[in-house]
Amino acid sequence: MTILEIQQLKRERKKLAVVTAYDALFARIVEQAGIRVILVGDSLGVVVQGKANTLSVTMEDMLYHTKLVADAAPRALVISDMPFMSYQVSAEDAVRNAGRLLQTGAAAVKLEGGAVMADRVKAMTSLGIPVVGHLGMTPQSVHALGGYKVQGKADDQASRLLDDARALEAAGAFALVLEAIPAELARKVTQALSISTIGIGAGPHCDGQVLVLYDLLGLFDTFVPKFVKTYAHLKTDALQALSRYREDVEQGKFPSDSESYH
Ligand code: KIV
């Protein structure tokens, strides 16, 4: 998958399915399922590391998980999240850290924020680093936003978000993640831009959709937002399997003859 193909999909009004992955095992499964764009999201801070938010994720964490995914899914386009404080301070930081992610195997990076980040996006894209923006509910600003809440409901917020989207497009971003905003606003942004919008909790009108892998597989149930559709129940399956294994061991049923060497 290439960025040119993503742009082509927008022109042809074809939808793009994106999902997160953080390790080789799941990256292979995602690729086998025909999903051609993988986001190594800093959501790994929550679903892999067990933290309350994404703020403590480091560049080293992102480099490690990006390498696992990129090596395991060589045909997919891997987008890697820039973690908190890897781009906020300066455009120089942004370029240096994005470059490290590309050297590790990512084809593009994603950062959060609107017009205020346009200089970072411009600095990166002018040096050949493809960038995805992220607007709406931006988890790295969870404290400033007062929690995980739908954004862009009020008229002034909505028009600011549209301005931010235009500023990121003008700065060279090739796609935008729109998280937790009203479907009508996402439709407006999608129609206003020539770059792809990828929604998560942003309704059906975006050019593509993204979900956190462990949410859609039913593995992570600490907090399940309204926008998640659960396509499997792997936590339930895992609990049943592990309980059966424990019982078999405790009752002397495992290993049996067929699992033993002679
Ligand atoms: O970190 C992440 O997984 C994300 C998606 C939720 C879009 O940013």
Side-chain angles (χ1 to χ4, degrees):
M1 186 61 151
T2 65
I3 286 155
L4 292 181
E5 286 176 82
I6 292 177
Q7 290 164 339
Q8 180 72 15
L9 289 177
K10 166 111 185 178
R11 285 193 293 273
E12 293 173 358
R13 293 170 182 264
K14 289 187 180 153
K15 300 274 187 182
L16 174 70
V18 181
V19 74
T20 67
Y22 316 99
D23 63 29
L25 179 78
F26 274 121
R28 274 190 214 112
I29 295 172
V30 167
E31 201 180 58
Q32 278 173 29
I35 293 176
R36 302 175 67 205
V37 179
I38 301 178
L39 171 66
V40 185
D42 63 353
S43 51
L44 69 87
V46 178
V47 296
V48 176
Q49 297 175 336
K51 302 280 170 45
N53 57 52
T54 60
L55 297 179
S56 59
V57 175
T58 64
M59 269 303 295
E60 276 56 46
D61 294 332
M62 293 310 304
L63 290 166
Y64 174 74
H65 289 280
T66 297
K67 181 157 175 50
L68 297 183
V69 170
D71 287 353
R75 290 186 306 279
L77 185 111
V78 175
I79 302 167
S80 201
D81 255 339
M82 300 200 67
F84 184 56
M85 293 313 286
S86 69
Y87 60 95
Q88 278 87 350
V89 174
S90 68
E92 215 176 286
D93 275 2
V95 169
R96 191 169 293 115
N97 286 317
R100 291 177 75 197
L101 290 165
L102 259 63
Q103 283 174 326
T104 304
V109 296
K110 174 167 82 60
L111 54 72
E112 298 179 9
V116 70
M117 289 299 159
D119 66 328
R120 274 70 160 172
V121 175
K122 194 162 187 168
M124 289 189 276
T125 54
S126 61
L127 292 169
I129 299 172
V131 178
V132 177
H134 186 156
L135 295 174
M137 172 58 223
T138 45
Q140 291 176 12
S141 305
V142 61
H143 296 309
L145 297 174
Y148 295 99
K149 293 178 180 163
V150 179
Q151 301 296 310
K153 277 179 159 174
D155 285 350
D156 60 327
Q157 278 186 356
S159 74
R160 204 173 324 127
L161 191 141
L162 188 54
D163 290 346
D164 281 339
R166 288 199 170 109
L168 292 172
E169 176 178 49
F174 74 92
L176 286 189
V177 167
L178 300 177
E179 180 164 354
I181 63 169
E184 268 316 298
L185 175 58
R187 187 181 58 78
K188 230 185 209 172
V189 175
T190 302
Q191 286 174 352
L193 301 186
S194 62
I195 60 173
S196 301
T197 58
I198 302 169
I200 174 163
H205 308 295
C206 295
D207 300 305
Q209 297 291 328
V210 59
L211 279 177
V212 169
L213 180 69
Y214 296 176
D215 286 342
L216 87 82
L217 293 180
L219 268 171
F220 184 81
D221 62 1
T222 310
F223 170 66
V224 184
K226 170 187 161 82
F227 59 71
V228 170
K229 182 167 175 182
T230 307
Y231 286 86
H233 302 282
L234 296 197
K235 181 177 172 186
T236 308
D237 290 350
L239 279 172
Q240 282 172 3
L242 291 164
S243 302
R244 279 174 39 221
Y245 163 68
R246 177 180 51 75
E247 282 162 17
D248 278 1
V249 171
E250 287 170 359
Q251 293 166 14
K253 292 183 186 163
F254 176 83
S256 68
D257 196 54
S258 62
E259 290 106 17
S260 303
Y261 294 110
H262 297 290

